[in-house]
Amino acid sequence: MKTYRLATMIFLPLAMILLIAGGQAGAYQATVVYWELADAEREGPVILSPGTGFDTSVNILLKNRDQRYGAIVLFPSCSFDPEPGGVYIENWERMMRGEEPVLRQAAAAGFYEPSWQACFPDLAPFTHKVYVPPSGEARVEMAIDFRRAGKIQVLVFAQVYVVNPERFHEPPEKPAEFADVIRSAGINAAILPIDLYFKVVEEEAPRGVFTLSSYVELFVPTLRMEEEGIGTFDVLETRGQIPFALEEYQICRPRPSDEYNPEIDRSRVRQIQLSSGLGEQDTCEEPRPNPCTRPSISIQPGVSPDLSPAVSPQLRGSAADPTFTLSGNFSVKWTDHALHPAFGWRVRAWWNSPSGWRNMAEDWIQWGGNWQLVFSYPGYTGQKLRVQYVAFNRYFTPQTTAGGTYRWKGPDRTNISQTHNEGAWYADCDGNDVHGLGEVYHEGMTMWSRLYWTGEINPLRSSSLKLYFPNTTFDCGDGSGVPWSCASKDGRVWLIAAHALRNGVVQHEFGHQLNYEYWSNKLPAGSGGGHNLWSCYNTGLALTEGFANFMPFWVQHQARSSAPNAADFDFDVESPSGACQDETNEVWVASTFWDLHDSHADGNDILWYVHKGAVMAIFLSNGIASDGDSRGMSDYRIIYRNRCSSGHETYIDNIFNQNHTD
């Protein structure tokens, strides 16, 4: 077996240097410790069976960025690939009519066997914790067991805690000392993702061979021509072998408008009702006339009623050219191993004409994965059709660092009828191509839909956000050479592969883009650069990062009369105890925004704004006059006091005081 040393440090090619020229990104994901792959076997034998021991191990080198504080990294005892979500369905067409019973739960006992397992045996005596000194290093061994062949992402999320030197004068050495540091810290300072990539080939069951690889090598396709696409899979051939996220096919999600008009958008935000309420209450009404909430519509289990907007015919042909009606359904396989509807993707009808490929018609895929195209095209009579599915929308566009979009295609057809059903197909983004794209796209679409329909806030920028996924080259301008996730004021977002599967990262970075748009790219002094959740920095950084931290809670936790489940997010927004208590800490800023929004009474927080978009509307409508002006969360105490119901001003003060941002 070959052993070699690796590092995640990267020399940027000239093209990438030109792409990122102009300074560092304006906003980072929280970070304290980063990692490099030190020693690893390049290839070796495996036994693809549980209970046979580990197939290989790698040495991870942890490096602390902070010169002031030591850090404790808490690893899980073992990590696995996700359990399957959803339910198994035998027949797609009958299921969509509500006629097919659920066969069994996907993750029911006895049906699930993870394809890999990663453990940290050397850390067991220290309850899976390791100390990394200020500006120092620590080495950790990770043992890996492969259970199945295929393209595999081994993904581990570790929690990072800051060691406060004012309380702990010596580095922790014993398990009790580690526990004391974490208990005093209260919240983690950052989440450290460690991701490794392998190709495992079965030779003679149960034996095989693994090869260490990379995300780009395994999962990023090369598509040169616009009409090209990755191959899709027929849903009807799954025969109960792949589960469906059934609830996703039943929840109506109307697609937001593509219209972008900054003056109108800002005017609408300023007109949002700013009354406030007291006590534990909530309002269920959606401010916009959401077609999914029409009382005349009754959604039955397993049935997808047609609530899509009327399809606009795209009649580009002459009167002599026939009109075609194409329809179908498209899904995406996520890393939970289940199929989800491709809500918000783009569908295109291509013709391989004698003079080259022609894009005849295109439209959006609707909430249940259904789509329809009505079109005519000069000279087209049903020959040589290709249906293409593109991960693109007006809000954001996932793309490679070279700017290429991700596209899939169905089988090429000949001599279709004027009414053609393409059938149900899916893109496999679970260990096949663009691993994790399903979750990335869904998180972005959910944010767009929720902002537009519930918040009455249009998050669109002048052009679709460029979402570079996976980011394997850009270090966000900090000079470390380590790729990370971040956003810049010109509408670009970088997302490392591991953050595709970290809940809220996409919505956090898109929260920065929302801030940039409504503040005309003006940011307060001190904003941007590296940071962590635990420490205090300056008012500008805490304000902008705190608002971005607030966004995933607002988007995902709609029942604001209850507290969000802290396990679903990077920190407990209701009680971020342990973090530096000041308006220069981003977590307390996020908690202030949340307490202004939620109707869950805690401590002295009993006020909430009636309109679900009001807290954001007030913030977005009260930006700074000039780029670099001083601004912090305490400045918004008076602003929110002046925009609440009469007599509620003291309750605003209570919220700011309770969150140390006054």
Side-chain angles (χ1 to χ4, degrees):
M1 290 181 287
K2 301 177 182 178
T3 302
Y4 76 138
R5 295 179 62 85
L6 286 175
T8 56
M9 305 292 284
I10 292 181
F11 293 99
L12 300 181
L14 177 60
M16 195 60 200
I17 292 174
L18 293 175
L19 176 65
I20 64 177
Q24 60 183 197
Y28 293 46
Q29 277 294 303
T31 178
V32 179
V33 173
Y34 67 96
W35 67 278
E36 296 177 359
L37 183 57
D39 297 306
E41 293 178 325
R42 172 71 179 176
E43 58 186 29
V46 300
I47 299 179
L48 301 174
S49 178
T52 57
F54 295 104
D55 295 303
T56 188
S57 65
V58 300
N59 283 315
I60 304 297
L61 187 64
L62 304 175
K63 293 190 174 185
N64 190 347
R65 295 174 182 264
D66 204 305
Q67 299 177 359
R68 303 167 298 167
Y69 303 132
I72 289 178
V73 182
L74 171 60
F75 290 91
S77 57
C78 291
S79 292
F80 310 85
D81 67 321
E83 291 191 1
V87 293
Y88 286 98
I89 304 295
E90 185 154 323
N91 186 285
W92 165 265
E93 292 176 326
R94 295 189 62 192
M95 183 273 286
M96 293 302 289
R97 295 196 300 267
E99 301 173 5
E100 184 63 47
V102 173
L103 298 183
R104 55 182 168 85
Q105 294 294 320
F111 291 115
Y112 170 69
E113 177 62 45
S115 61
W116 59 268
Q117 178 184 17
C119 302
F120 301 86
D122 290 350
L123 296 180
F126 300 95
T127 57
H128 301 95
K129 304 177 185 70
V130 62
Y131 174 72
V132 189
S135 301
E137 301 177 351
R139 189 175 289 247
V140 174
E141 180 185 15
M142 180 167 67
I144 303 171
D145 179 29
F146 300 108
R147 308 286 179 83
R148 298 178 193 155
K151 297 186 288 186
I152 292 176
Q153 178 196 51
V154 174
L155 178 60
V156 175
F157 289 107
Q159 295 175 299
V160 182
Y161 294 86
V162 167
V163 180
N164 186 351
E166 296 180 1
R167 177 168 179 177
F168 300 95
H169 304 293
E170 298 294 333
E173 295 180 352
K174 300 177 181 179
E177 294 173 348
F178 278 95
D180 193 23
V181 171
I182 291 178
R183 188 165 45 250
S184 68
I187 68 167
N188 54 266
I191 301 295
L192 173 66
I194 297 176
D195 53 331
L196 298 170
Y197 299 89
F198 299 88
K199 184 175 182 180
V200 179
V201 178
E202 186 175 23
E203 294 183 331
E204 184 176 350
R207 300 184 181 276
V209 175
F210 78 84
T211 303
L212 184 63
S213 187
S214 68
Y215 184 101
V216 171
E217 186 177 41
L218 293 181
F219 301 124
V220 177
T222 301
L223 301 174
R224 293 182 174 85
M225 305 303 292
E226 189 179 2
E227 72 277 1
E228 291 182 337
I230 307 165
T232 54
F233 298 86
D234 191 344
V235 171
L236 299 182
E237 294 181 359
T238 62
R239 304 291 183 184
Q241 299 174 16
I242 300 178
F244 289 84
L246 184 59
E247 186 176 297
E248 295 289 327
Y249 292 90
Q250 298 172 344
I251 298 175
C252 179
R253 292 186 179 91
R255 195 178 56 80
S257 170
D258 290 342
E259 180 183 354
Y260 172 75
N261 188 315
E263 292 184 5
I264 293 178
D265 294 339
R266 284 159 175 73
S267 175
R268 287 173 176 168
V269 168
R270 289 192 295 269
Q271 294 172 17
I272 286 178
Q273 180 185 0
L274 301 181
S275 61
S276 54
L278 299 176
E280 294 204 11
Q281 301 181 41
D282 198 4
T283 54
C284 299
E285 304 83 21
E286 300 289 352
R288 288 185 188 268
N290 186 331
C292 288
T293 57
R294 289 182 295 180
S296 60
I297 296 295
S298 176
I299 301 179
Q300 301 297 325
V303 180
S304 296
D306 184 13
L307 298 180
S308 305
V311 176
S312 299
Q314 302 173 54
L315 306 178
R316 300 164 67 180
S318 67
D321 293 306
T323 298
F324 290 84
T325 299
L326 274 57
S327 62
N329 188 282
F330 191 62
S331 300
V332 183
K333 189 181 179 189
W334 292 12
T335 62
D336 65 354
H337 316 309
L339 296 183
H340 299 251
F343 171 51
W345 287 50
R346 194 76 169 167
V347 60
R348 292 171 176 162
W350 288 88
W351 170 31
N352 188 5
S353 75
S355 58
W357 287 93
R358 297 288 183 266
N359 181 0
M360 298 184 292
E362 59 182 271
D363 207 342
W364 302 108
I365 297 175
Q366 302 301 326
W367 60 273
N370 294 323
W371 59 268
Q372 187 178 71
L373 298 174
V374 178
F375 69 93
S376 65
Y377 194 85
Y380 187 73
T381 58
Q383 68 277 36
K384 296 184 178 181
L385 172 76
R386 172 181 294 176
V387 175
Q388 183 189 59
Y389 311 95
V390 187
F392 156 80
N393 61 68
R394 177 59 183 81
Y395 184 29
F396 63 96
T397 303
Q399 55 194 272
T400 65
T401 52
T405 57
Y406 294 116
R407 309 182 297 278
W408 280 256
K409 65 176 182 178
D412 290 343
R413 311 284 190 182
T414 57
N415 301 321
I416 66 167
S417 63
Q418 287 183 244
T419 301
H420 171 71
N421 189 334
E422 180 69 6
W425 299 83
Y426 72 91
D428 187 354
C429 295
D430 173 31
N432 201 329
D433 292 289
V434 205
H435 185 81
L437 179 64
E439 286 88 338
V440 170
Y441 206 92
H442 175 76
E443 192 165 308
M445 281 300 304
T446 300
M447 181 164 177
W448 185 16
S449 180
R450 183 117 158 82
L451 280 169
Y452 183 85
W453 292 108
T454 303
E456 289 192 283
I457 296 172
N458 186 0
L460 298 183
R461 304 209 66 182
S462 58
S463 59
S464 181
L465 299 175
K466 295 179 179 179
L467 176 57
Y468 297 114
F469 172 73
N471 173 26
T472 59
T473 54
F474 185 34
D475 64 2
C476 295
D478 68 0
S480 68
V482 179
W484 198 237
S485 298
C486 51
S488 63
K489 293 192 291 186
D490 58 359
R492 292 182 291 173
V493 174
W494 291 264
L495 187 73
I496 62 172
H499 279 159
L501 305 182
R502 186 64 195 172
N503 180 46
V505 174
V506 172
Q507 291 166 357
H508 174 101
E509 300 303 336
F510 283 10
H512 284 301
Q513 294 294 343
L514 180 67
N515 192 172
Y516 299 156
E517 173 64 22
Y518 280 83
W519 283 19
S520 302
N521 287 334
K522 300 171 185 175
L523 293 179
S527 57
H531 59 97
N532 69 67
L533 302 175
W534 182 86
S535 300
C536 283
Y537 292 93
N538 62 72
T539 57
L541 186 148
L543 179 64
T544 54
E545 292 297 336
F547 177 75
N549 286 335
F550 162 66
M551 288 309 304
F553 292 98
W554 185 89
V555 172
Q556 298 179 34
H557 190 73
Q558 300 186 42
R560 60 176 177 165
S561 59
S562 63
N565 183 1
D568 295 334
F569 301 92
D570 285 353
F571 61 93
D572 184 354
V573 74
E574 286 282 12
S575 181
S577 59
C580 176
Q581 295 181 352
D582 191 75
E583 68 164 324
T584 58
N585 174 268
E586 62 185 88
V587 170
W588 287 111
V589 171
S591 295
T592 305
F593 281 123
W594 178 255
D595 282 346
L596 291 167
H597 168 70
D598 77 333
S599 58
H600 171 68
D602 62 295
N604 293 323
D605 164 31
I606 62 171
L607 175 141
W608 47 280
Y609 280 85
V610 175
H611 193 291
K612 293 181 179 179
V615 172
M616 290 180 296
I618 294 171
F619 174 75
L620 296 174
S621 298
N622 290 273
I624 53 179
S626 301
D627 192 38
D629 283 354
S630 177
R631 181 66 63 88
M633 193 64 192
S634 61
D635 297 314
Y636 283 90
R637 183 176 65 87
I638 300 301
I639 294 174
Y640 280 99
R641 277 177 56 96
N642 293 337
R643 289 161 178 80
C644 66
S645 297
S646 178
H648 289 180
E649 293 83 0
T650 300
Y651 300 107
I652 296 289
D653 294 338
N654 291 342
I655 289 175
F656 277 75
N657 178 265
Q658 179 170 296
N659 289 290
H660 314 289
T661 53
D662 56 352

